[in-house]
Amino acid sequence: MIGRIQAVMIDLDGTLVDTLGDFDAALNRTLADLARPPVTRADIERMVGKGSMHLIRSALQHGGLDAGAAQALLDRAWTRYQAHYQAVNGRHSAVYPGVAEGLAALAARGLPLACLTNKPLAFARELLVRKGLAGHFRQVFGGDSFARSKPDPLPLIETCRALGTAPANTLMVGDSLNDAQAARAAGCPVVLVRYGYNHGEPIAHAPHDRLIDSLAELEALIA
């Protein structure tokens, strides 16, 4: 059991929703616009999780550009990517099994929930609405909501402030090393899902308090 939990922060991509198909469509359309080589879903799974700019930069470098050349294309790529992602957001994604049940169980306990993601806030809010999940969350914060994003602890600390709970009493739920490192640095307990995207590395290697196979297991872990 994880005791004294008064609120829960939950990651989005790879934790609530499998969005790899959305990333695939938007990113490869962007690369095609720039006459750059495509990336595979396996490539994207290793790149995703540190925000859209990191994803685009990684894809450009994966296609053979050095850091300087990738940086020179980044503004143009970002503009194209935003347009393509807006067009596909939620169309090629699916809510993971157990998510609806898990969120309902946490709500039944009266625990305030926040969605805390590195996805741009506008895209995150739209995706939650399209997937019928928005009503579960008291707060939603994206990668552009604060001066720094995960794995920096700042987003978690500020989300705790918004929820009115201390980090030690606010659980972070995610799917990657980014979530784990941010939680440890912020002083939050952390539960990680075994599915999702973790840069191609086993999630068990990331620091955690518990590993779960489904968000439906989460409520039973909270004292």
Side-chain angles (χ1 to χ4, degrees):
M1 300 286 284
I2 301 174
R4 300 178 293 111
I5 298 302
Q6 298 172 350
V8 182
M9 301 176 286
I10 308 177
D11 178 55
L12 179 50
D13 299 303
T15 303
L16 293 171
V17 183
D18 181 358
T19 49
L20 202 60
D22 290 345
F23 288 124
D24 184 6
L27 187 58
N28 276 310
R29 290 177 190 179
T30 299
L31 293 171
D33 288 348
L34 301 174
R36 299 306 307 164
V39 291
T40 67
R41 286 200 180 198
D43 296 328
I44 296 168
E45 189 168 356
R46 289 190 295 271
M47 298 171 186
V48 76
K50 295 184 178 180
S52 297
M53 281 292 194
H54 178 271
L55 175 63
I56 297 166
R57 186 184 295 109
S58 297
L60 290 170
Q61 292 185 250
H62 183 80
L65 297 181
D66 62 26
Q71 186 63 37
L73 270 180
L74 197 57
D75 286 346
R76 183 180 168 201
W78 173 241
T79 299
R80 298 306 307 143
Y81 180 81
Q82 284 185 298
H84 287 310
Y85 204 97
Q86 179 65 42
V88 303
N89 191 5
R91 291 188 179 182
H92 307 283
S93 62
V95 177
Y96 285 108
V99 165
E101 296 89 339
L103 295 178
L106 294 174
R109 291 276 295 268
L111 292 168
L113 307 181
C115 181
L116 178 57
T117 173
N118 279 350
K119 183 188 289 296
L121 179 59
F123 292 157
R125 284 179 167 161
E126 183 177 18
L127 181 62
L128 290 170
V129 169
R130 289 184 174 182
K131 297 304 178 184
L133 302 176
H136 292 288
F137 295 100
R138 180 177 297 183
Q139 303 283 350
V140 179
F141 296 114
D144 49 356
S145 294
F146 307 109
R148 298 182 295 279
S149 57
K150 298 179 290 182
D152 193 281
L154 177 67
L156 281 72
I157 293 168
E158 291 301 322
T159 301
C160 290
R161 193 189 315 276
L163 291 169
T165 53
N169 304 120
T170 310
L171 179 64
M172 180 70 215
V173 182
D175 69 307
S176 76
L177 180 62
N178 288 333
D179 300 308
Q181 290 178 332
R184 284 289 186 257
C188 299
V190 58
V191 169
L192 300 174
V193 298
R194 289 190 176 94
Y195 56 84
Y197 324 129
N198 187 42
H199 322 296
E201 298 296 327
I203 193 60
H205 295 173
H208 60 270
D209 295 297
R210 294 287 191 280
L211 294 176
I212 57 175
D213 294 307
S214 166
L215 258 64
E217 303 172 28
L218 190 57
E219 189 267 342
L221 297 178
I222 300 173

